[in-house]
Amino acid sequence: MGRDRYSRQSLGALHGRIKQSRILMVGAGGIGCELLKNLVLTGFGEIHIVDLDTIDLSNLNRQFLFRHEHIKKSKAVVAKESAATFNPNVKLEAHHANIKDSHFNLEFFQSFNIVFNALDNLDARRHVNKMCLAADVPLIESGTTGFNGQVQVIKKGLTECYDCNTKETPKTFPVCTIRSTPSQPIHCIVWAKSYLFTEIFGTSEDEIPELDHSDDSENAEEIENLRQESHALKQIRNSIGSDEFPRQVFDKVFQDDINRLRNMEDMWKTRPPPLALDFDQIANKAQIIDAAVSQRDQTTWTLAENFVVFRDSLRRLSVRLMRAQSLGPDTASAILSFDKDDDDTLDFVAATANLRSFIFGIETRSKFDIKQIAGNIIPAIATTNAMTAGLCVLQAFKVMRDELGKAKMVFLERSAARVINTDTLKPPNPECSVCGVTQSRLLVDPARATLNHLVEDVLRTQLGYGEEFSVNNEVGTLYDPELDDNLSKKIIDLGIKSDSFLTIIDDDEENPRVNLSLSVLEQTLPDDSKPVLVPHKLTIDRKAKSSTTQPWKEIPTAVPTLNGTGFKRKRSPGEIEDQQDRSMKRGKIQKNVSNDELVIVDDSSNGAIIIEDD
């Protein structure tokens, strides 16, 4: 009996196309492990796996391709080795690299029939989305968070892309809130992880992205006081390893700094003032408590228990830092970094965050809860990953059958009447800056091409642009009517190279074109040709004047279409009313968000769900 007998029977003629297909899978984490298993067992002919990450202990409870002996090894390489045993007829290639590396260029993406995204960060997802649109390759996007999951198929010109709906940027916190007026457990946890831990064992707070200094000018006096606090803490750091070190740190951050805050009476007119802690008083109560209390990670520790864990973890970390600094002259500046899977660092952050919570009258959290929050994760559910990966492959079948019109947005929701739900399809957002543009290749002879050749020969002469337009790249504006200093410069001297993108924005007030996205390809061109060329005839649509006032039209299911972007898409009032009628029949999802939700994620619910399931 052949290994692929049942696949051949169930898939019919599609089976042959699957065996000849080339697949790119980006990400080999929670969804990626399940997805790779499905792809291999289905019999996809050639699968390339790209992942920059290495395997951590916390991955092993759900990423089943990995074992304890694989910790610190490449996810892509180990996933390839493990999955190869499932079906030796499938060709697997592993790339332990960043998908944004230059060798993963447009030609690389164009060599695949389908791309699967199983990523855990917003920036990489956007990059793959952009590359697939430029290469005109179907993308199957997916994500999970807890019991929720979604699968989205993206096809150039037919569906919403990943960026058609606005995505929120990672959460940051004003430094004055974190340092002076915390009101939620998350504020205390960020303070412990991103300020106190790094000031004692790591780098300065000025280099920490979770602390937002954008409002510093409005609180100049308070910011100066906080800088003085940081300086004093650095002085205390010089006594690390001494018997007095724990008391010095404790008195500084839990007594002296708190008393200073209490003296700022205006700050406490509308909120209860903080209460400083006394080292000796708590130490007396903690005498009978063993440091092993830190192993009780599911319970909320008392004040005395947090004190014991603080003191013990401070000792452990101090020993580690001094050992690292004593290894040689080049390690004098050694630092420690927070890791949610490192008990020493996690104990310190949990204990100090809870001690600060006691001071400000904020609810304390268990070590387990703090691990989830400090690690920027929502607990991943292996079953959700498995269901989502299976849905990805089912959507891929529709893509390969050229039956895109049958595709729906598919999402998982635990609280809905039905666990698996679908939604109607949407065409591309005409206002999207990624897919609502005209795209083309741009051939550039690096030895001769200047920016002026692009502006005059291509944009004005060949494509008919007027005077009001600008040329932009990822760095900024290279040319506009008031910025012509770069016209005489060679394109390569402006940092423009193969597979970089240029965006042309038409600023004509009456009838502007949609943005033009040019993917650069360096090529030696004949001497008698222009040094910058658009290789094919190009038609650039004009912006629709009514697009901002009319709702997007649904694509008829008879037209090749794919699903949208995520859980919550903005609908017109009529669509909402129709959806309410349909929900009575099929179990409409109810998206309830608790006001007490404290998990930091890299994305909002207005699109693909992002979880740090790395």
Side-chain angles (χ1 to χ4, degrees):
M1 182 187 298
R3 179 182 292 269
D4 59 355
R5 174 185 174 186
Y6 295 112
S7 295
R8 207 165 48 241
Q9 288 177 345
S10 60
L11 295 173
L14 179 62
H15 181 259
R17 297 179 63 183
I18 286 176
K19 289 186 68 174
Q20 299 300 318
S21 64
R22 276 173 54 91
I23 301 298
L24 173 62
M25 189 186 82
V26 188
I31 297 176
C33 284
E34 295 285 350
L35 180 57
L36 181 60
K37 174 256 298 179
N38 292 343
L39 295 173
V40 168
L41 292 178
T42 303
F44 283 87
E46 182 176 342
I47 305 169
H48 288 245
I49 310 144
V50 179
D51 198 309
L52 180 63
D53 205 0
T54 56
I55 299 163
D56 289 326
L57 176 64
S58 63
N59 301 145
L60 302 186
N61 71 332
R62 61 194 179 279
Q63 298 175 20
F64 73 99
L65 295 181
F66 309 140
R67 296 291 182 267
H68 195 276
E69 62 268 23
H70 297 143
I71 291 176
K72 300 306 179 185
K73 293 183 179 179
S74 163
K75 282 188 175 182
V77 173
V78 174
K80 169 196 169 183
E81 294 170 351
S82 299
T85 61
F86 301 161
N87 188 349
N89 296 326
V90 174
K91 180 180 178 181
L92 296 174
E93 294 288 342
H95 306 268
H96 179 61
N98 190 333
I99 191 61
K100 298 180 70 176
D101 289 348
S102 59
H103 56 276
F104 298 128
N105 54 25
L106 206 57
E107 283 73 24
F108 177 80
F109 277 84
Q110 287 173 334
S111 68
F112 297 100
N113 299 102
I114 300 179
V115 177
F116 290 87
N117 248 358
L119 288 161
D120 60 0
N121 74 85
L122 187 62
D123 185 54
R125 279 177 157 162
R126 283 176 163 161
H127 176 77
V128 174
N129 174 64
K130 184 176 181 179
M131 293 299 291
C132 287
L133 290 172
D136 197 10
V137 177
L139 169 64
I140 310 252
E141 170 66 49
S142 61
T144 63
T145 178
F147 290 100
N148 296 334
Q150 62 86 31
V151 176
Q152 172 192 357
V153 184
I154 298 170
K155 177 63 177 173
K156 179 181 178 180
L158 297 176
T159 72
E160 292 175 324
C161 78
Y162 185 70
D163 280 309
C164 276
N165 292 285
T166 303
K167 305 294 188 300
E168 290 185 356
T169 55
K171 181 68 174 176
T172 61
F173 301 90
V175 66
C176 285
T177 298
I178 297 302
R179 297 282 298 278
S180 301
T181 56
S183 59
Q184 301 176 29
I186 184 64
H187 297 155
C188 298
I189 294 168
V190 171
W191 173 85
K193 171 194 169 186
S194 298
Y195 165 65
L196 185 60
F197 179 86
T198 54
E199 288 294 344
I200 297 176
F201 301 108
T203 57
S204 169
E205 68 167 1
D206 293 332
E207 302 172 30
I208 302 166
E210 287 176 314
L211 297 182
D212 183 3
H213 293 266
S214 61
D215 295 331
D216 284 3
S217 60
E218 300 178 6
N219 305 278
E221 182 178 354
E222 175 62 8
I223 292 296
E224 181 56 32
N225 290 332
L226 297 179
R227 294 194 188 283
Q228 291 178 10
E229 286 183 7
S230 298
H231 180 73
L233 200 55
K234 290 177 182 177
Q235 296 300 315
I236 293 174
R237 179 173 173 166
N238 294 331
S239 63
I240 191 169
S242 67
D243 293 339
E244 291 300 310
F245 184 59
R247 176 187 286 274
Q248 290 176 341
V249 174
F250 187 96
D251 286 346
K252 172 69 176 63
V253 298
F254 298 128
Q255 188 174 82
D256 297 345
D257 292 348
I258 303 304
N259 287 331
R260 182 192 65 79
L261 285 175
R262 280 183 64 92
N263 291 332
M264 302 176 67
E265 297 180 359
D266 290 343
M267 192 177 289
W268 313 111
K269 288 181 178 180
T270 58
R271 56 170 69 93
L275 299 175
L277 300 179
D278 184 88
F279 184 93
D280 293 323
Q281 189 179 58
I282 302 175
N284 289 334
K285 296 179 180 179
Q287 290 179 359
I288 61 173
I289 300 175
D290 190 271
V293 69
S294 64
Q295 299 176 16
R296 290 165 37 206
D297 62 349
Q298 299 280 351
T299 61
T300 303
W301 301 328
T302 65
L303 177 61
E305 287 171 340
N306 277 289
F307 176 84
V308 170
V309 176
F310 158 76
R311 194 164 52 179
D312 184 62
S313 61
L314 190 65
R315 176 191 58 79
R316 284 179 274 150
L317 291 168
S318 298
V319 170
R320 284 173 55 179
L321 184 62
M322 289 188 297
R323 185 184 300 123
Q325 293 176 340
S326 66
L327 293 178
D330 296 332
T331 60
S333 60
I335 61 172
L336 302 180
S337 299
F338 174 80
D339 186 334
K340 66 181 186 296
D341 297 314
D342 183 334
D343 279 335
D344 294 346
T345 62
L346 180 60
D347 285 347
F348 179 83
V349 168
T352 53
N354 281 334
L355 288 170
R356 187 166 176 85
S357 292
F358 278 110
I359 289 172
F360 286 89
I362 299 171
E363 179 186 2
T364 58
R365 294 299 179 99
S366 69
K367 175 181 171 181
F368 178 82
D369 290 338
I370 290 174
K371 178 178 181 178
Q372 310 310 308
I373 300 171
N376 290 0
I377 61 173
I378 298 173
I381 309 297
T383 307
T384 311
N385 290 336
M387 294 174 69
T388 301
L391 291 168
C392 286
V393 178
L394 292 177
Q395 293 294 311
F397 291 162
K398 297 175 184 178
V399 173
M400 298 199 70
R401 285 193 178 106
D402 295 323
E403 295 178 342
L404 304 183
K406 294 183 178 181
K408 297 278 188 180
M409 184 208 300
V410 186
F411 52 92
L412 310 177
E413 221 289 333
R414 188 185 186 192
S415 63
R418 294 185 350 184
V419 173
I420 299 179
N421 292 274
T422 62
D423 204 352
T424 54
L425 309 178
K426 294 291 181 182
N429 179 356
E431 303 298 326
C432 178
S433 61
V434 178
C435 72
V437 302
T438 299
Q439 295 179 325
S440 175
R441 269 294 200 182
L442 182 71
L443 303 183
V444 172
D445 188 332
R448 298 187 291 141
T450 65
L451 185 60
N452 190 63
H453 287 122
L454 170 62
V455 171
E456 295 296 335
D457 296 345
V458 175
L459 297 179
R460 288 206 171 105
T461 303
Q462 183 177 351
L463 300 180
Y465 276 82
E467 292 298 320
E468 297 296 326
F469 66 87
S470 62
V471 179
N472 309 270
N473 67 356
E474 291 142 354
V475 177
T477 300
L478 300 175
Y479 166 82
D480 65 29
E482 297 180 357
L483 177 64
D484 57 6
D485 300 349
N486 295 323
L487 287 176
S488 61
K489 296 180 181 179
K490 286 189 175 182
I491 283 181
I492 57 172
D493 294 336
L494 295 172
I496 302 170
K497 54 187 179 181
S498 277
D499 295 300
S500 60
F501 287 86
L502 294 174
T503 301
I504 314 303
I505 301 176
D506 188 356
D507 295 319
D508 183 80
E509 294 182 357
E510 294 184 359
N511 194 17
R513 298 172 172 85
V514 299
N515 291 352
L516 172 62
S517 178
L518 298 173
S519 174
V520 176
L521 176 63
E522 292 182 351
Q523 192 174 99
T524 301
L525 300 173
D527 292 338
D528 58 351
S529 71
K530 301 286 187 182
V532 181
L533 296 173
V534 173
H536 306 291
K537 184 178 180 181
L538 194 59
T539 300
I540 307 172
D541 295 332
R542 301 285 177 171
K543 292 182 179 179
K545 296 181 180 180
S546 59
S547 64
T548 59
T549 59
Q550 296 181 352
W552 306 345
K553 296 180 180 179
E554 286 190 11
I555 302 176
T557 55
V559 178
T561 57
L562 304 168
N563 69 336
T565 61
F567 277 98
K568 287 283 190 180
R569 272 194 315 224
K570 294 184 179 179
R571 300 176 175 88
S572 68
E575 289 178 306
I576 295 173
E577 191 173 338
D578 291 342
Q579 182 66 24
Q580 289 171 343
D581 293 337
R582 292 195 298 269
S583 69
M584 299 297 292
K585 301 177 182 179
R586 65 173 191 176
K588 175 74 170 64
I589 179 175
Q590 298 296 322
K591 179 74 174 165
N592 297 321
V593 181
S594 168
N595 290 331
D596 294 329
E597 180 60 56
L598 298 176
V599 176
I600 311 171
V601 293
D602 287 338
D603 199 2
S604 71
S605 59
N606 273 342
I609 305 166
I610 293 185
I611 178 173
E612 292 288 348
D613 187 11
D614 46 3

